[in-house]
Each structure stands twice: as structure tokens, then as C-alpha cells.
Amino acid sequence: PITNLAVVDNNSNNNSDNNMSFQPPPPPNNGGFRPPPPPGGGGGFAPPPPGKRPGAGFAPPPPGRPGAGFAPPPPAAGMGQLNRDMGKMSFAPPPPGGAGGPPPPAAAGGPPPPAAPGQFAPPGVQPPGAFGNQSRGPPGPPAAPGMFQQPQAPGMFNPGAAKPGPPPPGPGAPPAPGGMQQQQPPQQQPQGMPGAAPMGANPAGTQQFMEKIDYSITIPERLFRFTASKIPQSPAMATSSKIPLGGILRPLAPCGEDDEEIDTVQPGSAGIIRCKRCRTYINAFVSWLEHGRRWRCNICAQMNDTPAAYFCHLDDEGLRRDRFERPELSKGVVEFLAPAEYMVRPPQEPSYFFVIDVSATAVRSGMLHAASNAIRKSLDDLPGRSRTKIGFITFDNSVHYYNLGSDLSQPQMLVVSDLKELFVPLPDNLLVNLEESRDVVETFLDNLPDMFAKNPVVSQSCLGPALKAAFTVMKQVGGKMCVFQTVMPNMGDGSLKPRENQAIMGTPQEVKVLRPETPWYKDTAIEFSRQQISVDMFLFPYQYMDLSAMGELPKMTAGNMHSYVMFNFDKDSQRFEEQLNKTLTQETAFESVMRIRCTKGMRITNFYGNFYIRGTDLMALPNVNSESVFGFDLMHDEINVASTYVTVQAALLYTSGSGQRRIRVMTQALPITGLTSELVESVDAQATCNLLCKQAVDVSMKTNIDQARMRLQQTCVDIMRGAKGGDKRTVSGYTVPQGPQDDGEEKPIPENLELIPLYTLAMMKNVAFRGGTDVHPDERIQAFHQMYSMWTNVSKYFIYPRLFSLHDMSADAGFCCEDDDVPDENVAGRRDILLPDTLPLSVDNLSSDGIYLLDNGIEMYIWVGRSADQNLVNSLFGAPSLDNVDPAQLQVDTEGDEYATRVGDIIYSLRDDLADPFFVSSRIQIVREGDGQMEARFFWFMVEDPASFQGGTFSYEDFMHFVQQGGNAAPTAGGPRGMPPGGMPPGRPGPPGPGMAPPAPQQYGGPPGSGMAPPAPQQQYGGPPGSGMAPPAPQQQYGGPP
């Protein structure tokens, strides 16, 4: 169906005053207002000067000046009062004909009739920027004789003008003949924005200008989500509403079972049709004119000729008859097969190069064995099939190359120990065809875990030289580089030094350790990006590694960073191998670039994600995969948007694994609204919070974490205040102050925004932004990277985790659900496993006789109360009680009796994404009630309770009151915990358990905060999370996986 049909009747205003919000008052001297004719008679009418104030707007040249045309006489007596009165009122467009004479006939040879297919005029007015304010194209015609124009204050936008006219004719400018509107030949008409009325339209008689935009044509939500599905009409409205405008996209999101496949378009002899000015790709929202011989770009309004090979007649509605046969004209997402002109070089073979740390830590932890195993299992499924290339470099205190020539029976290792004069000892056979050298590659992977087991190098790592060596081998073809690192690099280029400083943790100076100290990794990453090399890092820290520096490699090369803190082979090898297999075998786009365009009047301001910007807006992406997520901000670039809709188009040019050059084009039209209520109703809370997280990461790195929390808090307050403020009346683009409001009744928060305060409070207490001294800098950096690359299905749980009660779940929970009426959020996985009821994140909802599962989308925790049912505990852990048992050594039995099987199915289903063909399990940490270190970490997630750091002292009840009061209520630090929804279960823990009350100095308590004792110098991290919150025992290590 075709939607958003806007019809403007040029004569309707002459017959009815109901279409106007204000009828202009008569001027002095009684009678209708009739503009005085200019000298010489005929000619159009120009408005009187704004006033006698010097410099107030544009003044025409004084009369009598040779060749200066004419100037209207000064305003009549009382006109100043009229201007002042009008400035206080709402003014709607006047009738086209006016009272001063008949409308002019259309000039001979003018453009096609206004009702021609594809042409339209937006209802109301045409703001500056559509024609008159554009630098391209000639000015529009002057107003018709007798048409009233409102005097305008300097610099103010006049919404009452039907079309902005040109300035009075300058010296030597010929007047319009016969007092008629000046016409432009069709090929020279000013090119306005989509939706602009055709120039030279004849207002005599009823003419209808129609805009036909089918808003049902959208980009699937798995690929693209906007924070709001409508765009505010003006920057003033956007500012007052405080809604963060922007979007997030996941261009290669996997296709679910019920999702429609993306259509592939093979360009014909005309090639790929694009705008000749802004290079926008042809899409479903362009306007067709002159019976289909021309089309108007919906981004820049440029008129383009339709190639003869692409021509098709239009139907009665002005739409192409073949639009449903051409996916690019009827779908929001299409994929073009790119011709040769889109290739800088022939598509290269998919290449995979592995840079592996073989130091003592890597060998003894089991990382080397797990990595070799995962790579070997992935060989059959690597993209490219017979074209795929592969290579390896290992390093400790020297760099080891491997000759994998197909004529060898086993690989040859070549060692280069001179890190300053590094060279490639063998130019060939370091990056080989996998199919040809398969036997040699498999032999190498089988022997790798034992090659360095006898005499491993302890605590020495030359990562920088190894990266340079790998770059030398890969730079001719590009590809994916996978780096495996277990210790801090400390030899050669890229050496790092410990920068931990407990004295600045929890202070504004903490940002210093979150910023890279050396530019080496960023400079190297930029060079990698230029050569189409993407870096994925797999880090296994057992102590501080400075992820802020090494993280520049995946960030600038469109890669990903995965961290496995205190890697334990028995507990972590499975999820590491699953993640590595997914990284290697998922659909991957090579040699990619992406650009996002939007309609003139709006602009893209910031980008979020992992990429390198070339120029101003071209995102260089050596690799893109299903985990690649990008965000952007959208803002007004002009005083008003000159169309009734805004188009956003993202185009990804890439090489597929099979060697095809493709262009994925995603286009969506968003309607313009002048009502705050409509804008608020269109807000997507999940997409908005996802974008706010990405913005807060940028604020944290540019200023500090305290500022990021304040930004999140203030944004939430502003959004709620603007949403409850309702629609506002505007005059000339400015908001009119409203009368006093009745404060006796508090306006409710709109339903679609109800979760934003809760999500904001949770973001402020998230590991990425929480205050205090108990968050390790490497852990915070890992959280930043995760937020940058998170799609909404993960971020909503990373922000506000799910808490399930396992000890009293319903009899149906853990089984397949066959009831179609059950909400989607209550089932999970491909088998539709019914989930237990979720609980609010407050310690008041924990009971000492209960067992609870917490899932934040990345990791899971099982909290076991002191008095939990021994049969249930025994089913899950193989022991009737967890007393005197180290929880770190426990594993959950998911294949025992019925209860254990049900819990196992619930855990599995939470990671079984319907749209993702890959399954990656999570680390499950067991938390015993009363275990200070582990429980303190668990209570980080109880975001509805107050925490003991600045900006985190709100409970959910306090924060809602703070938001409802417009940010004027003071937080009650350490005050009583508000009762969250859901009530208090019986037998809840009494006071003074760890985390149950605000902590005393030097003790564990509450959600951990700045009151914790600082760790000893050179503290290591790993083991039980949260151990960095108190002086550790000798050689104690910190932190669970971030």
C-alpha cells in the first residue's frame, strides 16, 4: 500500500478560513490590505522593509537610483504596530490569490502541470533551504502580485511564505514581463528537495501536488534500527525534545528462519543507477518525472536522466510500472553485483594469518592447545574454499616463521631473533593455498602444542616485531589476522610498561590509564587498514596487560577483541574454541568500505564502532562480519528540513568469500513531524539506550567516567521532561512560551519510554561506567569494546541482566513451550524453551533458601543461598552443600536428573540465537552466599539498589523520583533501599550480609564502591571477580572475565 499521500489544494484556502490558524488583521485606515504598486505599474510586490532599525534584515535599494529597479514605499502609519502584533501570533500560509489582483497565468513553455506524476508540494510552506537558500540552481520566482507576505525579523524563518522569493532585482536585472511570474525552462528549474512544489505552477484552478512515499518499505530490524522512526521538523524541536537522533546498523546480520533473503541485483547495460551529484544509489523513494525520463534524487534533489536501457513508463500514480520486478525500487535492502569500475584491484583470495604467543604462560595454561584444536576444526569451513590462503607466525623472545610449501612432508621453522633488523627469511610459502598445503598445515597444528613445551620462554613477548613480520607477509593480499596473546608485550617495537596506579582509580584521573600511552599500536593499525588487514585479538590476561593500547589494533581495523581472564582450560576452552570457530567461519566481507548518506538538511555527525575514517565520512573496513555493529548520530544541518521526509542510505561495498564484488544498499525514509508527541511515540527505547552506551564510551575517553555518568543521567532527565512537556506552539520556527501548568497532577511517562530511566540507572552502574576503585582498567576497556560492538539483542541484557529464580520455577519451565500465546521474551532458543519468571535486580528479591541464575548476555552467575534445598544443590553441583567447597572448582551438571536437565536446557537456550547459526557458550560462575569477593561482584548487577560511588547512590525508587522531579531531587546517599516491583520473597537474607547494606570502610559490602580498600601494589587480576577490592594475599590475581 502507498502511504503518506499529501495533497495540497491551492484554491482551498480561498474558500475557507478554517485552514488557517490566524487571519492577518487589517492594517490601519480600515479596509483590506492592498500593497501599493511599484513605480511603473505591473511587477511583483516585494515586502516592506522590516523596520527603521539599522541593519534589520534586507532592505531594497532606494528609489531613484539608476538601474536599481523599484522599491516599495515606506510602511503606512501603524504598520509598526501591525508587525509587533503579528510577532505575537501564530500565522499560517495566506491564500495564494491574495486580495490585490488575480493570480498570474502560467507562462508559455513552463514546466509540466503541477500534478504530473512524482511531483508534489508539502503541505503548508516551503522553508528556506528548499530553493532560495541553496547555492545550486537559480532562485525561485517572486511572489504573485497581490500576495501578502509577512514582514520578517532579521534572521528569522518565515513559515508563512509559500515559497521564498528572490531579492529585489539588482542593477541591470530585467523585470518580469507583464507582471507575470518569472518562469524557468524545464531543464533549468531550481532543483529543490524531494517534495518541493514544481516551479511555475499555475495557482489558477485546483491543482494537486502529491507526494507518494510508501513507509511500509523498511530495512529489516535485524540490519538497521533508528532511535526514532520520525524526525523533528526543526533543530529547535530536536533540542527541546532531547531525543538522541541516530541509528545503529549491523550490515551483515545473519538471516533468521522467518526472515526474507536479501535480493541480488545484476545490473544491466545501464550499470548501477546513481545520482550524478551525491552518488546516491537508486532506491524505492526517488521521484519520477517527465513520464519516467528523469528522476529526482531523494538525498540531494538533483534531477537525473534515466538511461534508455533503464526506462519504464509510469502508472497513473506516477510510479514505475516495473517497480515490483526491480527489488531496488520496491525493497529497503538490496545487493548489487558490482561491475569492474568498483574494483581498485581484482578481488583477492580470503587470507587467514595466525600470530600466536608461545611463551610459558601460553603453553602451561592450555591456550596453545585450545587454539590449535579450534583452528584445525575450522579448516573445512573457512570462506573461499579452494581459494583460501593460510599462514602462521609464533613468537616469544624471537619471531618464528613457518614454511608450509605443498612439496614438504612437514613444516620448516625459521627463527629470527634480531628484533631490530627484522627480515623475512623466505619470501614464498609463508602464506600458502590451504587446499594445496592441507597436509602440511594439519601436521603443523598437531605438533604446535608440544613444540615449545620443553623449554618455554618465561615472561618475554615480542608482539610488536611479530606483527610487523606478519604485515610484511600479508600486505600484498590483505585478509584477517588473528592474534593470541597471554602476557604484556615487553620486547622490541610496541613494548608496554605497567601503568596501574591505584591512587587515581575512582577519580577523574582514572581516564589516563584508559587511554593508550604509546601511539605505536594506533599507527600500526592505520597502516594495516590501508593494506586491507583486519586484526582480531584473543587475549588471556593473568595480570595487567594494558588492553587500552593493544585494543587500538582491532578498533582501527574493524576487528574484535575477546578477553579470557584467568583462562582455565577445563572451564574456558570450550567457549574459546566456539568463539574462534565462529570468527573464522562466519560470513565475512573483505576489502570493505561503507558510507552513510542522508537527505539535505540533515547530516551524519559521529560514528561509533570499529573502523578507520578516510576523509570525512568513508568508513574503511578491511573485514565486516555478522558481529560488526556501527552507530551514528543524526542532526539538523539547516533551520528546517525542506521535505516531508528524510532518507537515510547506507552502502557497503565489499568482496565476498567467493570473490564477488558486491554492494549492499540499505535505504529507509523517515517522516518529518512537527509534533513532539508524535516524535516521542516513535522512539525505540532499546536502540536509544544502545546508542547512548556508545556515546557514553566516547565521553568517557574524551573527558572522564564521571562525566559519562552525568551525561547519561542528564540525558534521561531531559528526555523525560521533554516527553511529558507535550506539543508546543511555534511562531516563525521559535517556541511560544506556554501558560502556567497545573502542577497538581504529574504527567505520566509515555509507555514506550518507561524503561529508559531503569536502563539509564543500570548503565550508570554497569562495569563500563561505574565508579569506585574496584573495576580493573583492563576490564573496563574490554567492556568499552563490547559496548561498541553490541547489537540490541545483547545490549539490553548487558545493561539490565535477567535474574531467574531456579528453585521455585514453574513445572513447565525448562521444557519446550507449545503455547503460541506465550510472549516471545518468555521463551528462548530454537526449541522455544519456557524460561522461569524474571525478578527485579534487587537483593530484596534474593532468598537464603533459593538458587538464582543471572545472565547479562556475556557471562552467567548462579547464586546459591545458605539454606538452599540440598537435593537441588546436589543435582546441579554433585554435592549437597557448598560449605567448605571452592566455587571456582565447581561446574554445573546439566545432564543429570530432571531438574539438572531443565536447568541445562534453560542455560543452553539463552545462548541459542534463532538468527545466529553459531553457538557460543558462556562462562558460569558459582556464587555462594557469604563469599565476600564473589558476592561483591555479583551484587554489581543489583542495579535497583544503591551503590557506594558518586552518581550511583540512587535506588531505582529514588532515581524515578529524581527523574519525575526533572532532576531537582537530591539523591539519598546510602538511604533505605526502595521496594522494587515484584515484592519481597519469604525468607530473604537478613541485614549485614555482604552486599546487603552500604559498606563500612575497609569492608566488603553493598554493591562495591569507593569505600573498598585499595589493592596492594602490582596487584594481579584473575580468579574470583572482585578480588581487587581489598588487599590481596600474596600473588592473588584479580577479576573474572569482563
Side-chain angles (χ1 to χ4, degrees), residues 490-563:
N490 52 22
M491 297 182 68
D493 292 334
S495 296
L496 300 174
K497 299 178 180 179
R499 295 191 294 138
E500 287 178 289
N501 184 354
Q502 191 62 32
I504 65 174
M505 301 304 293
T507 72
Q509 301 302 313
E510 182 181 352
V511 72
K512 291 181 178 179
V513 297
L514 303 180
R515 296 171 179 163
E517 188 177 44
T518 172
W520 189 89
Y521 287 93
K522 182 177 181 179
D523 295 342
T524 301
I526 293 174
E527 191 60 33
F528 278 28
S529 178
R530 289 172 178 160
Q531 300 301 325
Q532 302 298 336
I533 299 172
S534 176
V535 179
D536 279 357
M537 299 200 77
F538 295 84
L539 304 176
F540 306 83
Y542 290 84
Q543 57 185 2
Y544 177 71
M545 286 182 64
D546 199 352
L547 269 60
S548 62
M550 290 188 288
E552 293 293 306
L553 283 169
K555 178 173 174 55
M556 306 298 292
T557 63
N560 289 289
M561 184 169 71
H562 305 277
S563 178

Side-chain angles (χ1 to χ4, degrees), residues 930-1001:
D931 184 343
Q933 295 178 349
M934 292 294 294
E935 199 168 41
R937 172 63 178 252
F938 178 80
F939 286 126
W940 281 7
F941 301 104
M942 301 295 105
V943 296
E944 297 190 21
D945 296 331
S948 55
F949 59 85
Q950 182 180 2
T953 55
F954 288 109
S955 67
Y956 179 42
E957 183 181 21
D958 294 336
F959 191 70
M960 284 301 301
H961 178 68
F962 177 80
V963 170
Q964 293 282 11
Q965 296 300 316
N968 297 322
T972 55
R977 190 176 292 108
M979 178 61 63
M984 182 187 305
R988 68 178 182 87
M996 305 303 293

Side-chain angles (χ1 to χ4, degrees), residues 405-411 439-440 443:
S406 58
D407 56 339
L408 299 176
S409 59
Q410 58 182 6
D439 292 339
V440 182
T443 300

Side-chain angles (χ1 to χ4, degrees), residues 22 58 64 71 131 308 591 605 620 657 840 856 872 876 997:
F22 168 68
F58 176 83
F131 298 109
E591 303 176 294
T605 54
N856 72 347
L872 301 183
L876 292 178

